[in-house]
Amino acid sequence: MSEIPGLDGLLGVEHVETGPDKVVARFTIGDHHLQPFGIPHGGIYCSVHESTASVAGQIWLGTKGVVVGTNNSTDFLRQAKVGDTITVTATPIHRGRTQQLWRLESVNQDGKLIAQGQVRLANLDQEIPADALARFTGGQ
């Protein structure tokens, strides 16, 4: 578990780099990430992809609204194993007034692509709690 609240905390995700044009997160595959047949569950990648894209999209949008995921498409390319460190990088494909599209890549410690995907976000006209955004921007 990490200090991050919610599902990311349960999955042990840490944010290595956060900014409006790129967010990098990292986690290490443990027994709690496995599906019943002993291999990493694909939902891990889907979940971390969506949350990483959401952090990136919210930092970019700032206080102009709240982002929510509307689509998540993840392809699983290579199997990871317990002990592997997975680095997830989110970069923008499109950022507009009402929606955003982010590319996600998950690589292992050897730089091999494990999963890739895209997450579409909607920009909602709602106020974001200042402390939620400050968690990722250092209060800026």
Side-chain angles (χ1 to χ4, degrees):
M1 298 220 325
S2 75
E3 305 246 345
I4 297 174
L7 183 57
D8 276 2
L10 291 173
L11 294 175
V13 174
E14 64 174 316
H15 290 101
V16 178
E17 178 182 342
T18 58
D21 298 317
K22 180 167 87 171
V23 168
V24 179
R26 182 173 44 219
F27 64 99
T28 299
I29 300 286
D31 290 336
H32 61 291
H33 295 113
L34 304 181
Q35 44 100 305
F37 304 105
I39 62 174
H41 194 292
I44 300 164
Y45 304 106
C46 295
S47 297
V48 178
H49 282 186
E50 184 159 338
S51 61
T52 304
S54 294
V55 168
Q58 190 64 61
I59 292 171
W60 177 78
L61 189 62
T63 58
K64 295 183 234 169
V66 174
V67 301
V68 296
T70 59
N71 191 53
N72 182 335
S73 175
T74 301
D75 298 304
F76 313 109
L77 305 170
R78 180 176 277 114
Q79 183 177 317
K81 61 186 182 311
V82 171
D84 283 354
T85 298
I86 307 298
T87 300
V88 180
T89 303
T91 55
I93 296 170
H94 167 78
R95 296 179 290 191
R97 185 177 51 81
T98 61
Q99 63 181 343
Q100 302 178 45
L101 184 62
W102 288 82
R103 177 180 338 277
L104 288 300
E105 292 187 349
S106 292
V107 300
N108 66 11
Q109 63 278 356
D110 299 323
K112 292 184 178 178
L113 191 61
I114 302 297
Q116 68 176 10
Q118 291 184 13
V119 172
R120 182 172 301 280
L121 304 171
N123 302 331
L124 301 182
D125 187 20
Q126 294 180 6
E127 189 171 326
I128 183 168
D131 62 326
L133 186 58
R135 201 173 315 158
F136 299 103
T137 62
Q140 300 171 1

